[in-house]
Amino acid sequence: MTRPLVISDCDEVLMHMVVPFAQWVDEAHGVLFRMEDTSFANALKRKDCGTPLEAAEVWPLLDGFFRTEMARQYPIPGAVAAMAAIARVADIVILTNVGPDHQQRRADQLAALGLDAPVIGSRGGKGEPVRRLIEERAPSVTVFIDDLPNHHHSVAAAAPDVWRLHMVGEPAIAGRIPAAAHAHARIDEWTAAREWILARIAGNLPAPAL
């Protein structure tokens, strides 16, 4: 077996995203971001009339943000130090749904903060990418971290032995997102999250079924 593996999302886990994104869409596109439920798309409304954006309009805005505005993002408190501590005992891979087009930009963004880990720019459910990483690396134990409940469901189905930590590091939306039913824990700040992850690694046991 190889070293333990920690697979982490980026936005709202390692880096703030919705706050700088909201500032940008307001300034550049006349769009307000107000999250009133768990839907990201429903949070986007035209500033002049209050009507929600069509679903087809959402990804171009996200794509534009990741293409030109990633410098607006800043780390979740404690994330970089926690990843440095975890890297001493485990391998780290960043699995982020920015897509392949923005994979290198994301890697550069994190490397500039001292987090020099492989980055996979995926799309869709994260279960299959997690399963493939486990097949490639054969880790002794794996921990998955993400802010979105649907990804925990996906990983639980494809790789049930993985420990799953639900983290929403952005206070502006954390209260709007219920704890993921398919995660083993919900922790939204990095001091406690780091200790939980390190304890799972030290225990060296597969995750229990939920």
Side-chain angles (χ1 to χ4, degrees):
M1 290 189 291
T2 58
R3 275 160 57 90
L5 177 62
V6 173
I7 304 169
S8 179
D9 185 31
C10 183
D11 294 316
E12 316 311 350
V13 173
L14 302 176
M15 302 289 287
H16 288 280
M17 186 269 175
V18 294
V19 170
F21 176 76
Q23 293 168 345
W24 175 66
V25 293
D26 185 356
E27 295 166 8
H29 296 278
V31 171
L32 291 176
F33 181 91
R34 297 286 187 273
M35 199 159 183
E36 298 170 357
D37 53 28
T38 59
S39 171
F40 187 94
N42 289 344
L44 292 162
K45 296 178 174 64
R46 290 178 178 82
K47 198 173 179 177
D48 57 356
C49 61
T51 58
L53 268 62
E54 299 293 332
E57 297 176 277
V58 175
W59 174 248
L61 285 178
L62 286 167
D63 181 68
F65 178 81
F66 291 129
R67 192 169 299 281
T68 65
E69 305 298 322
M70 287 174 70
R72 292 176 179 253
Q73 293 187 264
Y74 50 99
I76 300 289
V80 175
M83 285 286 118
I86 292 165
R88 290 195 281 270
V89 296
D91 291 337
I92 296 170
V93 173
I94 309 304
L95 180 59
T96 171
N97 266 16
V98 295
D101 290 350
H102 305 302
Q103 178 174 298
Q104 189 57 53
R105 270 185 283 273
R106 175 120 291 168
D108 294 342
Q109 177 191 48
L110 295 173
L113 298 170
L115 208 173
D116 192 10
V119 172
I120 299 172
S122 63
R123 292 273 177 84
K126 294 186 177 179
E128 285 305 307
V130 166
R131 183 187 59 77
R132 289 194 295 270
L133 281 167
I134 292 170
E135 290 178 352
E136 292 166 7
R137 291 171 175 260
S140 54
V141 62
T142 305
V143 179
F144 173 77
I145 315 161
D146 206 282
D147 65 315
L148 297 180
N150 60 299
H151 290 313
H152 290 280
H153 189 185
S154 176
V155 172
D161 288 347
V162 170
W163 290 96
R164 299 177 295 279
L165 174 61
H166 187 198
M167 171 182 275
V168 185
E170 173 50 68
I173 63 170
R176 305 283 185 184
I177 301 176
H182 294 88
H184 295 95
R186 166 73 179 263
I187 306 172
D188 290 342
E189 60 86 24
W190 267 106
T191 299
R194 178 191 64 207
E195 296 309 311
W196 188 90
I197 293 163
L198 291 174
R200 306 286 85 70
I201 291 169
N204 200 35
L205 293 171
L210 293 178

